[in-house]
Structures are given as C-alpha cells and as structure tokens.
Amino acid sequence: MSAAGAAGASSVTSVVVRLKLSLLRNGLRQSAGRRAAYVFSVVFVLLFAALQLIGLIALRGDEHAAAVTVPLVALLALGWAVMPLFFPSGDETLDPTRLVMLPLRPRPLVRALLAASLVGIGPLFTLCVLVGSVVATARGAAAYATAVAAVPLALLGCVALARAVAAANIRLLTSRRGRDLAVLSGLVIAVGAQVVNFGAQRLGSSGLGRLEPVADVLSWVPPASALGAVRAMSEGAYGVGVAQLLLSAGALAGLLRWWSRTLTRLMTSPDGSTLPVVEAGRTRTRSTGLSRLLPAGRTGTIMERGLRYIWRDPKTKAAWVTSLAIGLIVPVFNALQGTGSVYFACFAAGMLGILMYNQFGQDTSAFWMVAMTISSTRDAYVELRGRALALLVVTLPYATFVTVLTTALLGDWAALPEALGLSFALLGAMLATGAWSSARFPYSIPQEGYKNVAPGQAGLAWISIFGGMVGAALLCLPVIALTVWVNVAEGGGAWAWVLLPVGVVYGAGIAELGLRLAAPRTARRLPEILAAVSKG
C-alpha cells in the first residue's frame, strides 16, 4: 500500500473511532436514566469481569485448567456471534448500510469498523477473560510468548465474527423478522442460562476432568484454538501449538475477507425497498396450501388466521416459543437431574393452555374486523371454537411428545396413561377457563416495546390469567382424585390405563362446555371487549 493510501486508511479509522465515541457520548446526554443505566451496566460488567479474572487465576496450577479455559473462550465467541442477531440496535455502527453513500472502500472500512468495535464494555470483558485464561493455562516461556499473539488473535476473532455475522444478516436484522429475533432474545438467554446451570451442576458432581474431551475438540475451533495453542505450548507440543495458532490467524483472515465481501455486496446491491413486489399469485398459493389442511368453512378460516398470527406476529410468536421452551425444559431437566416426576409433563399442557387466555387482546385494535362477523351467540361460539382448535393443532401433539419423552427419561412407562390423561384434562380445563376469561377480562397487548399489558390494565391481566388457572385446577379435581385413588388404593394400579380415556373425554367435554358458556357472554360484550383490547 502506498504512503498516501496508508494515511487515508489511518484517517478513516480515526474518524470512525471518534464517531463511535461521539455516538456513545451523545446517547448518554439524552437522559439521566440512560446515563444511570449505562453506569450501572459498566460497573456490573467490570465487577463480573474482575470476578472471572480472579476465578481463572485461582485455577492456575490445576491439571484441568485448560479444560475450562478453552471451552470458555469458545462459549464467549458463540456469544459474540449471536448477540448482534438479538440486539442489532445496541450499536449504531453495526449497520454498515448507513455508510453506503460515503466514498469509502471496503478494506479501509473493515479496518476502521474493527478498530471502533474494540471500544466498549464487551471487548474489555472479553480481554479480561482471555488474560485470565492465559494466566490459568500458560506454563513456561514458550506458552507466555505464544499468549502474546494468542490474546489479540482471540479478541480480534471474536469482534470480527460479530461484525461479519451482523453485516451478512443486516437486511434481516432491519426487517420484521429481525425484530422477531430481538423479541425472542430473552428466551434464548433464559434457555442458555438453564443449560449452563445444568452443565455446572453435572460438573460439580463429576469434576472438571469430564471437560477434557470437549476441550480437545474445541482446541481446533477458532478462536478457541488460540488458547489451545497456549495449552499445547505448555505441554511441550510445539508443533501442535504452532498449527493451532496459525489456524486462529487463518480464521481471522477468512472472517475479515468474508466481512469485506459482504460490505462490497451491501454497497453495490439494491435493498428490498427497490425490488419488485412479490406476485399476488404466489401468496395465494401458500394460503391455499395451508387451507387444504384445515376444515372447510368459517372454522378453517379462523384456524388459519390464528396459525398465521403465531408465525407472523412478533408478540404472539414470542409467547408461543416461550411456552414451548419452558414446557419442555421444566420436565426434561428435572428428569435428567433425577429429581423429576412423570407428572411434571403436565407443565407443557399448562404452559400452552395459558395461550388461550386473552384471545381477543392478541388482535389489538384489529379485533373490530372480527367483531363485525359476530352477530349472534352461534357466531361467537364458532369464533372461540376456531381459536381453540388452532391452539390444539400444536398443543395436542406437543403435550403428548413431552409426556412420552419425560416418561422415557424416567423409565416409568406404567405411569404414561396417567400423565397423558392428566395433561389432556388440564388442557381441556384451560381451554374452557381461557375462553370464558377472554370474554370476561379482555385487555390490550401493546405492539411496540416489551410490555405485554397496556398501562392501567395490569389488574385485568392478573385476574384473567391467575384466576383462570385456579379455575382450571379446580375443574381438574375429579381427574386428580381418580389419579390419587389409582395410586393409593389396593389393586388400583390395574386401572391406571383408564385415566387416559377418562382424561381425553373429560378434557374434551369440559372444553366444549366452557366454549358454549363463553359464547353468549362474548356476543353480549362485544363493544366492551373492543374498547378494552384497543387501548394502548
């Protein structure tokens, strides 16, 4: 590169770094609350980083220290890769399309954005973890000399990975589906935390040695391979260490090249706003395909609308995915830990049954179009039945799957009919109380932000959900009593199979009764329901 070119690249880098600092400074000037939140986050991250650093240093001398540090760096890199997908608005400089009108070439822009990415709390935390990992792992002059190159390679690899992934998916992240990812980010973090907690408990009972095979594999996966090189040098495997260090450097070069090619494509190709609209015929084909699987008439139309809400509406999708995940995690994780019961599988039916509550609030102000089609109790009944059937399309097979999986993990196949019967009875009871609660205590769900209840309607939400859950539990008492009798009475085990058909019939009957009782109230209270769900 010529001297003029190098000076130009340096100038671009300094400008972009100053831009990053200016964006940060101006953001903090907007409000005292934002400044307080930023200061709190900085203090929290620094304290956590310090604790991580101290903990890693304490591992020094342990024979399995590398079995912890190498997977830790791999987990850190995974976090860098996925976080831009969930929080694309957290850093304005993540969006390279803001710079497409400027006369910038991709290579200088990559260097500038990479330097700007090193400014922030995340890189500082990563640096602390990497330094602590090196201190815990390195033994000998060769290992420390390797660490001098390994730490920058791992840090730059994490940052470049995040930038390359964000640039490759920027069109998605700025679209509706990108907002869907942001809504689901809390769920992914919660599930990940449960997985990490489960893994930590298993390690606490079996020792760090069980991580050795995992560390051996991850030592060849960049950027964790940089720490693998330090580990190899400490053990005297110099050839392996050099190979792993070169692998990390090659991966970094590949990421930078991918990032550069992505920037070139973003700066030279049109976005979705300049592309022709998809033909209407293609949309009709998809709609027809879904309609073929559903009943004909108004019921099928209502079911199709409900299923499309699940797929297209971010708030509805987030509620469904959260219920599906938690309904699986609770029974399965308890079974894996040896503390579970086959009856925990009812948690799946319960979590999905909650989605029947506040059915009309999910429509928000668009409910007026539904209200226009309801002129009698019969119309209200068909509307509620269609919504319940749409829920059952997913809930019935899912609750059955979770129950069978939990039974298999526990090896208690004799209790499978009881658990399935209870699950189906609970689901029917929640459909019944959910339909009635939707008509009696409707409330609005704001479409923007992370709130699930409009201001001033929190009391309605609590009454609707928790009151309905108590009612569902009371409605399930006959089936619960029969289950207790089967397990307590002498010779009752021979009748355990009866609980499955009883649960199916009872659940279907109580759900039908609930829909028929809720229909007249729905038809009478349409104006009040419309007013309630249109707030916020």
Side-chain angles (χ1 to χ4, degrees), residues 311-353:
W311 183 249
R312 294 181 176 180
D313 181 61
K315 284 294 182 70
T316 305
K317 182 186 294 185
W320 268 90
V321 175
T322 301
S323 297
L324 289 169
I326 297 178
L328 178 66
I329 287 173
V330 171
V332 170
F333 272 45
N334 278 279
L336 291 173
Q337 291 172 350
T339 60
S341 167
V342 69
Y343 301 109
F344 280 15
C346 296
F347 208 86
M351 288 300 301
L352 294 182

Side-chain angles (χ1 to χ4, degrees), residues 164 166-170 257-267:
N169 294 277
I170 195 62
R257 180 170 179 78
W258 176 33
W259 186 9
S260 178
R261 292 172 65 88
T262 303
L263 288 177
T264 302
R265 185 171 64 252
L266 287 172
M267 292 179 172

Side-chain angles (χ1 to χ4, degrees), residues 172-187:
L172 169 67
L173 298 179
T174 54
S175 67
R176 176 180 59 83
R177 296 200 182 278
R179 292 190 292 272
D180 292 354
L181 285 174
V183 171
L184 298 176
S185 61
L187 170 65

Side-chain angles (χ1 to χ4, degrees), residues 280-446:
R282 190 178 303 175
T283 302
R284 286 196 298 270
T285 301
R286 288 198 301 266
S287 178
T288 303
L290 178 60
S291 299
R292 290 196 191 102
L293 304 176
L294 301 175
R298 181 172 179 175
T299 299
T301 302
I302 296 169
M303 292 177 65
E304 182 177 357
R305 183 185 69 220
L307 293 173
R308 289 192 180 277
Y309 273 178
I310 296 172
W311 183 249
R312 294 181 176 180
D313 181 61
K315 284 294 182 70
T316 305
K317 182 186 294 185
W320 268 90
V321 175
T322 301
S323 297
L324 289 169
I326 297 178
L328 178 66
I329 287 173
V330 171
V332 170
F333 272 45
N334 278 279
L336 291 173
Q337 291 172 350
T339 60
S341 167
V342 69
Y343 301 109
F344 280 15
C346 296
F347 208 86
M351 288 300 301
L352 294 182
I354 292 176
L355 298 174
M356 186 64 189
Y357 294 83
N358 196 36
Q359 278 290 309
F360 306 129
Q362 298 173 15
D363 298 347
T364 63
S365 57
F367 178 69
W368 72 269
M369 292 186 289
V370 176
M372 294 290 291
T373 67
I374 300 176
S375 59
S376 65
T377 298
R378 174 65 183 174
D379 293 337
Y381 168 75
V382 173
E383 177 70 29
L384 289 170
R385 184 183 63 185
R387 291 172 182 257
L389 290 174
L391 190 144
L392 287 174
V393 166
V394 180
T395 303
L396 274 178
Y398 182 77
T400 303
F401 165 74
V402 173
T403 305
V404 173
L405 177 61
T406 305
T407 305
L409 292 174
L410 293 172
D412 190 8
W413 292 104
L416 179 60
E418 304 173 30
L420 280 175
L422 272 176
S423 293
F424 294 151
L426 176 61
L427 182 58
M430 297 197 78
L431 290 179
T433 56
W436 188 87
S437 178
S438 296
R440 182 63 182 85
F441 302 108
Y443 57 91
S444 178
I445 301 176

Side-chain angles (χ1 to χ4, degrees), residues 130 134 142-156 226-227 229-230 245-246 248-249 252:
L130 291 173
V134 165
Y144 280 106
T146 304
V148 173
V151 170
L153 279 176
L155 178 60
L156 292 175
L227 263 293
V230 176
L245 197 63
L246 290 176
S248 300
L252 176 59

Side-chain angles (χ1 to χ4, degrees), residues 42 44-57 69 72-73 76 80 120-136 151-152 154-155 158 227:
V42 169
F44 176 79
V45 170
L46 289 178
L47 287 176
F48 187 63
L51 292 174
Q52 289 282 327
L53 182 60
I54 294 171
L56 289 170
I57 293 174
T69 57
L72 178 62
V73 174
L76 198 62
W80 274 95
I121 305 173
L124 179 60
F125 174 79
T126 304
L127 181 61
C128 291
V129 172
L130 291 173
V131 171
S133 299
V134 165
V135 172
V151 170
L155 178 60
C158 289
L227 263 293

